[in-house]
Amino acid sequence: MALRFNVDTPLLDASLNASLNNSILNPCNGTFCFIFSRLIPGTNLEEIIGKSGTDYGPATFVSFDPTSCAVTLRRTTFGTPGTTITTVIDCTNIESVSYTS
C-alpha cells in the first residue's frame, strides 16, 4: 500500500512551508533565539552569559537579525569618560539571559 497525498492542499502546503522555514531555512532555533526575536529594542539586560562563559552584561538590547542569528548589544563602560561598546553574538551561543520584564 503506497502513501499518497495531494501537495496542492493548502493545509499541507502551509505545514510543509512552516516545517521547512523552521528547520532548513531558519538556522536561528532555540530558547534564546526565540527570546531575542520577541524582545523590544532598548530593553536593559542585567546579565548575558555566552556558552564560552563570557558575561556580556549589563547591556542594552539593540537588535536581532533572524537571518544571521546575530544579537546586537550595547553597553557603556564605567569611568570617565565612559566608552560605548557594541557586541554582536550569535543567539545560538547564548547560555543565559537575565532581564526585568
Side-chain angles (χ1 to χ4, degrees), residues 41-56:
T43 299
N44 291 322
L45 305 172
E46 300 300 321
E47 189 173 60
I48 309 97
I49 305 293
K51 287 186 177 178
S52 64
T54 303
D55 186 353
Y56 296 99

Side-chain angles (χ1 to χ4, degrees), residues 24-46:
I24 297 171
L25 302 176
N26 185 2
C28 307
N29 291 317
T31 301
F32 299 107
C33 297
F34 177 81
I35 289 171
F36 282 108
S37 72
R38 285 152 178 77
L39 203 60
I40 298 168
T43 299
N44 291 322
L45 305 172
E46 300 300 321

